[in-house]
Amino acid sequence: MIVQEQGIEIDEAAKSGAAELRRLRPLFLGDFYPLIPLTAETHDWCAYQFHNADEDRGFALFLRRHHSRYPSADVNLRAIDESAKYEVTKATDFTIPQAEIVSGKELKNLRAEILEMPGSLLVEYRKID
């Protein structure tokens, strides 16, 4: 049986989620950085980063919990070269958005915005120069 959730068939969402995990899986072997202190409070955000220094790429995942009244969080990403340029995508679902080019300084001092409650944001980045 196929169940509808937010206009997406569950089996399609599962396929998209599995594809995202396959894409990110090599990065789990890199460095891990908690970006916000971890709590069990339903009003706190959760955020962490994985970075592969050999490939100069990584991702940060942000989770806005059920009772968080804050739509954004400012974090300092780790292992980012402020003088370089990065290709960056920001996704709130399993679709891969168009990449944008940002400075390392802008990426390092990232403002994550999540309007949904609960909601998530996946920021993928790759150094390009």
Side-chain angles (χ1 to χ4, degrees):
M1 183 170 117
I2 298 175
V3 179
Q4 291 279 329
E5 182 178 299
Q6 297 180 357
I8 299 174
E9 293 180 355
I10 294 297
D11 62 341
E12 286 302 313
K15 287 178 188 177
S16 298
E20 180 178 273
L21 182 58
R22 281 191 300 277
R23 187 177 71 249
L24 298 176
R25 185 174 35 203
L27 299 172
F28 285 104
L29 299 174
D31 297 327
F32 170 78
Y33 303 104
L35 299 173
I36 295 174
L38 182 60
T39 74
E41 298 295 330
T42 60
H43 56 76
D44 289 335
W45 279 48
C46 177
Y48 55 87
Q49 174 187 2
F50 282 93
H51 179 81
N52 182 314
D54 293 338
E55 298 180 11
D56 271 331
R57 71 183 188 108
F59 73 89
L61 180 63
F62 300 87
L63 304 169
R64 181 179 181 191
R65 292 186 176 147
H66 294 77
H67 297 111
S68 174
R69 57 186 168 166
Y70 304 105
S72 65
D74 295 321
V75 298
N76 292 313
L77 294 185
R78 308 282 294 276
I80 300 297
D81 179 354
E82 290 189 32
S83 65
K85 297 281 186 201
Y86 288 83
E87 183 179 69
V88 177
T89 61
K90 297 177 181 177
T92 57
D93 57 23
F94 294 126
T95 60
I96 302 173
Q98 181 73 26
E100 59 182 300
I101 306 300
V102 301
S103 70
K105 185 175 183 178
E106 182 181 347
L107 179 60
K108 182 173 183 146
N109 302 303
L110 182 68
R111 170 165 280 189
E113 185 175 271
I114 303 172
L115 301 178
E116 296 81 25
M117 198 173 47
S120 65
L121 174 67
L122 175 65
V123 178
E124 294 180 70
Y125 61 88
R126 179 179 65 88
K127 186 176 178 180
I128 56 175
D129 78 358

